[in-house]
Amino acid sequence: QVQLVESGGGLVQPGGSLRLSCAASGSIFSIDTMGWYRQAPGKQRELVADITRLGSTNYEDSVKGRFTISRDNAKNTVYLAMNSLKPADTAVYYCNAAVYDRPGYLRHYWGQGTQVTVSS
């Protein structure tokens, strides 16, 4: 089994910054893509950003230039630095990881979610 533990959410004013972290632990052979998703009330979960093991990144259009995803492969951890936050960024943010627990066996895991609220 693999566990993803997120941290770093909270309440921030518009224009502020937060940094989310997600650490994977457990039966891990290697981790492929890691990403952050978010789900606002009444909306579907959407991809915010993801990053491959080699560092290639992909961002949802509304966060380009404001959010930066990064990872530390040695620590099995992915980060999301969020700047210039807007009320529209308010959501529960979920970490996702594509994990090989042994060669050739890939499974996707989710974190428990962390609330980000942008409000004055």
Side-chain angles (χ1 to χ4, degrees), residues 36 42 50 55 63 68 81 89 98 106 119:
W36 290 95
D50 61 20
V63 308
T68 302
D89 296 316
L106 181 69
S119 175

Side-chain angles (χ1 to χ4, degrees), residues 35-105:
W36 290 95
Y37 290 70
R38 66 186 179 187
Q39 187 166 19
K43 295 188 176 182
Q44 290 188 333
R45 190 173 297 188
E46 64 176 0
L47 174 67
V48 177
D50 61 20
I51 183 168
T52 68
R53 182 171 182 82
L54 296 181
S56 294
T57 58
N58 174 52
Y59 293 94
E60 193 269 327
D61 285 345
S62 71
V63 308
K64 287 179 180 177
R66 299 188 298 122
F67 292 8
T68 302
I69 191 169
S70 60
R71 64 189 283 174
D72 184 331
N73 290 332
K75 297 181 178 179
N76 290 330
T77 300
V78 64
Y79 307 96
L80 185 68
M82 304 184 293
N83 298 313
S84 302
L85 282 161
K86 305 174 181 180
D89 296 316
T90 296
V92 178
Y93 284 69
Y94 296 91
C95 174
N96 178 274
V99 179
Y100 288 96
D101 59 6
R102 56 192 185 276
Y105 288 84

